Amino acid sequence: MRKFDYTSLADSSWDTDILNMVAKIHEYKGRQDLYSKQKQVELNRLVEIAMIRSTEGSNKIEGIVTTSTRMKQLFAQKTSPRNRDEDEIMGYRDVLNTIHESYEHIPIRPTYILQLHRDLLKRAGLTFAGSFKNVQNYINQASLDGTEITRFTPLAPYETPEAVEKLCNAYERAIAEEKISPLILIPVFICDFLCIHPFNDGNGRISRLLTLLLLYKCGYEVGKYVSIEERIEKTKDSYYDALQASNLGWHEEKNDPKPFIRYMLSVILACYTEFEERVGTINESKSSAYDLVKMYAMQKVGRFTGADVLADCPSIGRSSALAALKRLVEEGVVDRHGSGRSTYYVRADGQ
């Protein structure tokens, strides 16, 4: 069985682009606390938006979906789940809430990971919720002719409990020794977790929840304000490619985790960049709602909705945003298309 010893990471040489991304993220983290103390009401609104987008994005990767309208109603507790997909979506929301509220008190131990898995799937009534896998699982890929090819075989069920125990111990030791940046260590842990694939179902979702948990515990809280899961969902082909590249030779302990490290650092860095852009919008306190919406529209490439405006301009209310959009349409700055819930906007030709 694999040893799960992360001490060698401290002696590894890292490519310049990886070191540069780590340095840039450290800079953003240094400004994070300052931003979190500003405009707390507006930042709380960013948290609410990110919660929905994270839940939607992480489940969408696994083909678990519902409509945007249903998602908002479920989060607002204006309706109850009506099928298994919605039960699992709300299970993700439950675990995400737990991590947001109590990450300092959740140690990286197998028993706690099992409890997070239990809470993820318990609404769906699955009997294996909160238990390690009892059947061999495979990571398959569909070929062009529709057949499936096994591209990776995770550990066997009988190996799984001991492997997860060793994995958690190795991570905790490495974090305590402080010889390797958490930004490098966390992707390696997640890659190893996914190679073990410890559950019958829910491995991908738990891995993304653990990513947030580990980042929060190390002080990188950008995922509260900008959805890391949504960013992964939008780049899921690169996500799977990076995982596959980092899995090669894993059983023989000859794999190279750098592709997945590089991918995850790019995701985290992109989220921090977006967060600062949104904070910059919040800090435009002297600008009117019209000015903020116009600034957003003029920088937007492609279509956008009223909900997009509210997400990226959290300092203004819904009625003010819609009034500003109406004025921009009347002035010919943007064009409106569709009606009702299907309404969207694009910059007018020549703008």
Side-chain angles (χ1 to χ4, degrees):
M1 182 187 290
R2 191 179 172 97
K3 295 178 181 178
F4 302 106
D5 182 1
Y6 293 142
T7 57
S8 61
L9 292 174
D11 301 322
S12 300
S13 59
W14 302 100
D15 297 337
T16 302
D17 64 326
I18 288 178
L19 295 176
N20 285 342
M21 283 191 284
V22 168
K24 289 178 182 178
I25 293 170
H26 280 157
E27 290 179 14
Y28 280 120
K29 179 177 177 289
R31 297 191 290 268
Q32 178 181 275
D33 291 340
L34 175 63
Y35 294 146
S36 65
K37 295 175 183 177
Q38 300 174 357
K39 302 285 185 179
Q40 194 58 54
V41 172
E42 291 86 349
L43 288 178
N44 286 342
R45 188 166 158 193
L46 287 183
V47 172
E48 295 173 5
I49 294 167
M51 284 279 290
I52 294 176
R53 291 183 172 182
S54 291
T55 301
E56 184 175 31
S58 192
N59 282 280
K60 190 175 180 181
I61 293 172
E62 312 301 333
I64 301 169
V65 297
T66 190
T67 66
S68 296
T69 299
R70 289 285 302 168
M71 183 72 73
K72 292 175 183 177
Q73 290 173 341
L74 287 166
F75 267 74
Q77 298 183 335
K78 293 181 179 180
T79 187
S80 300
R82 60 186 180 190
N83 53 43
R84 175 170 163 175
D85 274 11
E86 292 189 353
D87 280 326
E88 294 196 35
I89 285 169
M90 294 309 290
Y92 194 93
R93 191 281 312 268
D94 293 343
V95 179
L96 193 58
N97 271 336
T98 298
I99 290 172
H100 274 213
E101 295 170 0
S102 305
Y103 64 87
E104 304 101 323
H105 309 294
I106 305 175
I108 309 305
R109 304 297 311 143
T111 51
Y112 283 82
I113 294 175
L114 285 169
Q115 288 165 3
L116 295 178
H117 184 260
R118 176 201 64 194
D119 293 347
L120 174 70
L121 298 180
K122 70 179 181 181
R123 284 177 178 262
L126 300 174
T127 58
F128 51 75
S131 301
F132 288 129
K133 63 187 176 186
N134 55 14
V135 296
Q136 179 65 60
N137 45 18
Y138 302 91
I139 299 176
N140 298 322
Q141 182 176 6
S143 61
L144 294 176
D145 62 5
T147 59
E148 285 194 341
I149 302 171
T150 297
R151 62 179 179 84
F152 187 81
T153 302
L155 290 183
Y158 75 89
E159 298 176 291
T160 296
E162 182 181 354
V164 176
E165 181 77 30
K166 289 182 176 180
L167 176 68
C168 292
N169 288 341
Y171 176 83
E172 293 284 68
R173 282 196 302 270
I175 283 292
E177 290 174 358
E178 298 184 353
K179 293 180 179 180
I180 185 72
S181 170
L183 293 171
I184 289 176
L185 183 59
I186 290 170
V188 176
F189 175 93
I190 295 300
C191 183
D192 285 341
F193 176 87
L194 286 170
C195 287
I196 297 171
H197 233 60
F199 302 115
N200 287 349
D201 189 25
N203 293 284
R205 283 168 287 167
I206 286 293
S207 76
R208 291 183 284 277
L209 288 162
L210 286 175
T211 299
L212 291 181
L213 174 62
L214 297 174
L215 287 171
Y216 292 176
K217 289 176 76 68
C218 293
Y220 301 95
E221 298 184 11
V222 68
K224 288 184 178 181
Y225 306 106
V226 177
S227 172
I228 289 176
E229 297 97 320
E230 182 184 45
R231 180 75 58 172
I232 293 173
E233 192 277 324
K234 288 181 177 179
T235 57
K236 63 182 178 181
D237 288 342
S238 298
Y239 168 71
Y240 286 126
D241 288 345
L243 269 176
Q244 184 171 7
S246 293
N247 289 347
L248 296 175
W250 184 84
H251 288 282
E252 298 77 29
E253 301 197 41
K254 296 180 180 179
N255 65 305
D256 180 4
K258 289 178 184 176
F260 192 62
I261 293 171
R262 184 176 285 109
Y263 171 79
M264 286 306 305
L265 288 176
S266 70
V267 167
I268 296 167
L269 182 57
C271 289
Y272 264 114
T273 301
E274 183 176 343
F275 174 58
E276 288 214 350
E277 290 173 352
R278 293 189 180 189
V279 170
T281 301
I282 291 173
N283 287 337
E284 292 288 342
S285 57
K286 295 181 180 179
S287 299
S288 66
Y290 170 82
D291 292 332
L292 292 175
V293 175
K294 184 175 182 179
M295 183 188 310
Y296 169 84
M298 296 304 293
Q299 295 174 349
K300 185 68 178 176
V301 176
R303 65 171 62 187
F304 61 92
T305 65
D308 294 328
V309 174
L310 287 170
D312 288 305
C313 304
S315 61
I316 61 178
R318 177 178 175 80
S319 59
S320 297
L322 294 179
L325 283 169
K326 180 180 179 182
R327 180 177 166 187
L328 290 171
V329 170
E330 293 171 348
E331 293 174 349
V333 176
V334 300
D335 292 329
R336 173 175 171 164
H337 299 269
S339 60
R341 293 175 179 169
S342 299
T343 299
Y344 67 91
Y345 303 86
V346 295
R347 286 163 53 184
D349 291 342
Q351 299 297 318

